[in-house]
């Protein structure tokens, strides 16, 4: 059985935020919803300092607490490991947001889609925002609509340094499995016990 996952290579990420923009364009996410984020971490003392860029997204956990706590089963996990939200079942209680240890979910408040990003709504916003319902929760889907067509997520194909690598975690010969094994890939917040499908690798 396929289990989709992603490896984020901190040695390659340059903090360009191309992934953030690509996600916004591909999924047309509403204001204040950033499914693909890049955090900046500065360490050391001047003049010996170092900047590390840390990409982040929904971790599509194997033991997803967001799925467990959802009272309407709006949050669910597909057979391939991708965690999704059925907006028609979501009641906006935000229990999943509280349960998620990674702050990877976003609530779309009522009235948020009345105006565009600037002043008037564009045709792009009209088309993309028709996929969202106010008063519900949304999050990264690993671009499931692309994956189902044999394509990679938009953030992956857009990354100019190949810092985001997508593949099947169950396949020992896949690119993600090899990277995790050879470069000691680590899951975020392992103490949370969620078994994320996202791993980080650092310097070689």
């Amino acid at each position: 059985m396929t289990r989709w996952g992603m490896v984020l290579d901190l040695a390659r990420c340059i903090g360009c935020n191309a992934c953030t923009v690509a996600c916004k364009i591909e999924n047309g996410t509403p204001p204040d919803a950033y499914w693909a984020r890049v955090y900046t971490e500065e360490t050391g003392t001047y003049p010996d300092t170092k900047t590390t860029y840390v990409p982040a997204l929904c971790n599509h956990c194997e033991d997803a607490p967001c799925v467990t706590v959802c009272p309407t089963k709006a949050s669910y996990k597909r057979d391939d490991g991708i965690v999704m939200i059925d907006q028609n079942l979501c009641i906006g209680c935000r229990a999943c947001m509280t349960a998620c240890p990674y702050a990877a979910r976003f609530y779309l408040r009522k009235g948020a889609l009345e105006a565009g990003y600037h002043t008037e709504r564009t045709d792009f916003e009209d088309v993309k925002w028709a996929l969202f319902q106010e008063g519900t929760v949304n999050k990264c889907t690993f671009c499931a609509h692309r994956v189902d067509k044999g394509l990679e997520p938009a953030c992956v194909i857009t990354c100019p340094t190949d810092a985001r690598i997508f593949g099947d975690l169950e396949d020992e010969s896949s690119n993600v499995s090899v990277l995790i094994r050879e470069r000691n890939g680590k899951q975020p917040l392992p103490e949370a016990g969620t078994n994320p499908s996202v791993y980080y690798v650092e310097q070689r």
Side-chain angles (χ1 to χ4, degrees), residues 18-54:
C19 54
T20 304
V21 175
C23 177
K24 274 285 183 187
I25 295 173
E26 177 69 29
N27 298 290
T29 54
D32 301 326
Y34 292 90
W35 294 356
R37 306 173 302 285
V38 180
Y39 297 106
T40 302
E41 180 184 42
E42 295 184 2
T43 56
T45 303
Y46 179 83
D48 298 316
T49 60
K50 176 184 177 182
T51 300
T52 301
Y53 300 102
V54 184

Side-chain angles (χ1 to χ4, degrees), residues 3-200:
R3 180 187 171 197
W4 295 115
M6 190 178 294
V7 172
L8 302 172
D9 191 338
L10 300 184
R12 285 182 171 272
C13 182
I14 58 174
C16 68
N17 282 285
C19 54
T20 304
V21 175
C23 177
K24 274 285 183 187
I25 295 173
E26 177 69 29
N27 298 290
T29 54
D32 301 326
Y34 292 90
W35 294 356
R37 306 173 302 285
V38 180
Y39 297 106
T40 302
E41 180 184 42
E42 295 184 2
T43 56
T45 303
Y46 179 83
D48 298 316
T49 60
K50 176 184 177 182
T51 300
T52 301
Y53 300 102
V54 184
L57 67 163
C58 171
N59 291 286
H60 298 274
C61 304
E62 181 71 10
D63 301 310
C66 56
V67 173
T68 303
V69 302
C70 181
T72 64
K73 307 302 180 185
S75 289
Y76 64 98
K77 185 158 64 73
R78 304 193 332 175
D79 291 339
D80 58 9
I82 298 179
V83 176
M84 301 286 288
I85 301 173
D86 185 340
Q87 292 184 81
N88 293 319
L89 295 178
C90 180
I91 58 175
C93 69
R94 288 168 272 188
C96 59
M97 295 180 67
T98 301
C100 176
Y102 308 101
R105 290 181 165 231
F106 303 87
Y107 177 71
L108 182 56
R109 61 177 177 78
K110 294 183 178 180
L113 302 181
E114 291 179 359
Y117 280 110
H118 302 290
T119 51
E120 298 181 1
R121 281 178 54 161
T122 64
D123 291 341
F124 172 83
E125 290 160 346
D126 285 338
V127 171
K128 291 293 188 179
W129 289 0
L131 303 175
F132 295 89
Q133 295 181 27
E134 294 179 351
T136 65
V137 175
N138 60 84
K139 67 167 201 71
C140 159
T141 64
F142 263 170
C143 281
H145 61 288
R146 292 177 56 85
V147 173
D148 290 344
K149 296 177 181 178
L151 304 173
E152 292 185 314
C155 61
V156 173
I157 64 168
T158 304
C159 181
T161 61
D162 296 326
R164 289 174 177 252
I165 303 93
F166 187 74
D168 183 5
L169 294 172
E170 293 296 326
D171 180 358
E172 292 186 358
S173 63
S174 69
N175 49 2
V176 288
S177 294
V178 171
L179 272 172
I180 293 168
R181 186 168 58 249
E182 293 184 350
R183 296 180 56 191
N184 192 27
K186 293 181 173 60
Q187 296 167 305
L189 297 181
E191 64 272 18
T194 63
N195 192 14
S197 297
V198 172
Y199 288 75
Y200 289 84

